[in-house]
Amino acid sequence: VVFEGTIPAVFAAPLAAAGTSVFRPATPGAESIRGLFLLVLAIAALIFIVVEGALIYCVVRFRARRASDEEPPQIYGSGPIELAWTVGPLLIVFVLFLVVYRTLADVRPSSVPANALQVTVVGHQWWWEYRYPAYDIVTANELHVPVSEPNHLWPVYLSLRSADVIHSYWVPRLGGKTDLIPGRTNHTIYTIEQPDVYLGRCSEFCGMQHANMMIRVIAESPDAFRRWAAHEAEPALMDERVQAERETFLQLACVNCHTVRGTSAVGTVGPDLTHLMSRQTLATGMLTNTSAHLTAWIRNPQAIKPGCKMPDLKLDDQTARAVVTYLETLK
Ligand code: CUA
């Protein structure tokens, strides 16, 4: 409620529905992390109670009394006591090490499960690129994945890379943070049980629009996922009714950064637009994907997302209308 004014409208509703709470895990990995968190919290709480209890007891029990002003007995060194406060913490740290190690194995698999859906995630300033090598799909900002069913596990194995600086992928209900580091590939795995829209954010400061690098994971039934994948792998729709608008678009600088598969637009700096209309949001989760938002976005992205790599092309009314009309046919 406190943040209502700053959370973009598109996020407020799904936030309430799907939530981003680590206390509502939706994968075995996230459940493991919650268990670890609760265990560490319990141990820390116990230490806090014991230490504060001893402190309060001593403050009260040995407070200065008016009757006597003599010093209490001064003691130096005690084998048993020193042993106790050395061995105690050592044991605690050892137990925590073992539990953390086990949790790591749950969230960072050492090998790719044979039946896993593999997706490569590339972090860009400030958007996400998703590649599905097995399906020949390149898309952006919204990750579609299948859920696992009791008799058919279908884990999602992510390989995370960066195109520029360090980002961090965090969908709290699905797992812990995984950094995307230039020159390195990290991995994580989600085995999702419930269809839902899981929200997350980039959680490593990566520049001016770090806060607007949002994540939507759309987990759906295996059938729905296969339908989405089959459609997404197709080239862009060639609607003859918007031929003039398409030509306008293809003559603009847009094509230097964006790809529309099946046309002469083959840029790879920005998100692939082949099936732009299949996405719920624009500008990496900032805006719902509506005509009005799309128009505002292409007319001046810098007003919505200052510092983003998409320049203000200063399109006039007529050109902007043509571009939006064309983009809206990219179902
Ligand atoms: Cu990407 Cu912060």
Side-chain angles (χ1 to χ4, degrees):
V1 175
V2 178
F3 298 106
E4 215 168 49
T6 55
I7 292 181
V10 63
F11 250 64
L15 260 183
T20 51
S21 170
V22 291
F23 296 107
R24 289 181 62 212
T27 66
E31 207 157 316
S32 236
I33 291 170
R34 177 182 63 171
L36 175 64
F37 174 73
L38 291 176
L39 178 75
V40 173
L41 185 70
I43 291 176
L46 197 71
I47 293 173
F48 179 80
I49 289 167
V50 168
V51 171
E52 292 303 305
L55 182 66
I56 291 167
Y57 172 79
C58 291
V59 165
V60 174
R61 174 78 176 73
F62 301 109
R63 68 187 182 279
R65 291 192 173 82
R66 228 172 297 153
S68 85
D69 56 356
E70 64 189 70
E71 281 196 12
Q74 304 294 303
I75 300 164
Y76 296 97
S78 160
I81 292 178
E82 290 195 9
L83 197 67
W85 68 46
T86 305
V87 172
L90 256 176
L91 282 178
I92 292 171
V93 170
F94 185 64
V95 166
L96 289 181
F97 172 79
L98 290 182
V99 186
V100 168
Y101 198 79
R102 199 190 58 192
T103 307
L104 270 178
D106 286 344
V107 294
R108 306 246 188 286
S110 51
S111 60
V112 193
N115 59 338
L117 168 71
Q118 293 206 49
V119 184
T120 300
V121 182
V122 186
H124 294 259
Q125 283 175 318
W126 289 276
W127 59 282
W128 305 100
E129 177 181 347
Y130 296 115
R131 296 173 170 272
Y132 298 65
Y135 292 84
D136 215 7
I137 293 171
V138 179
T139 181
N141 297 327
E142 295 177 8
L143 176 65
H144 282 251
V145 292
V147 295
S148 285
E149 289 173 336
N151 50 1
H152 177 224
L153 287 186
W154 200 353
V156 181
Y157 184 86
L158 301 182
S159 300
L160 302 106
R161 300 193 280 120
S162 171
D164 35 51
V165 299
I166 301 178
H167 305 272
S168 184
Y169 201 80
W170 191 32
V171 184
R173 294 191 63 202
L174 301 182
K177 296 172 183 175
T178 306
D179 282 0
L180 301 89
I181 300 168
R184 211 198 123 85
T185 305
N186 284 333
H187 304 279
T188 194
I189 194 161
Y190 300 150
T191 307
I192 305 172
E193 290 142 16
Q194 287 296 321
D196 207 338
V197 177
Y198 299 96
L199 303 180
R201 278 167 185 274
C202 178
S203 56
E204 178 76 44
F205 181 71
C206 55
M208 202 163 168
Q209 289 297 333
H210 156 68
N212 289 320
M213 206 172 153
M214 294 179 266
I215 302 167
R216 293 173 89 79
V217 178
I218 296 154
E220 50 206 358
S221 71
D223 283 346
F225 171 75
R226 282 193 196 94
R227 271 198 303 278
W228 173 85
H231 178 71
E232 204 71 17
E234 285 170 13
L237 210 77
M238 287 291 168
D239 191 334
E240 281 179 11
R241 286 164 298 178
V242 295
Q243 177 140 14
E245 286 85 350
R246 180 164 53 240
E247 271 157 23
T248 302
F249 171 81
L250 292 174
Q251 279 159 15
L252 289 165
C254 311
V255 300
N256 295 334
C257 296
H258 295 284
T259 290
V260 179
R261 259 173 294 139
T263 73
S264 57
V266 290
T268 53
V269 175
D272 187 300
L273 302 178
T274 307
H275 297 286
L276 178 65
M277 286 304 123
S278 71
R279 306 210 271 266
Q280 301 168 349
T281 60
L282 299 169
T284 320
M286 287 183 78
L287 307 167
T288 42
N289 190 357
T290 64
S291 257
H293 285 156
L294 185 57
T295 306
W297 175 249
I298 64 154
R299 294 220 59 163
N300 189 2
Q302 297 298 324
I304 294 167
K305 204 166 177 175
C308 76
K309 310 277 169 177
M310 181 157 151
D312 174 7
L313 291 181
K314 308 223 179 320
L315 304 180
D316 58 51
D317 283 345
Q318 196 193 344
T319 314
R321 214 170 315 128
V323 171
V324 170
T325 303
Y326 170 59
L327 291 178
E328 286 190 325
T329 64
L330 299 177
K331 300 264 192 267

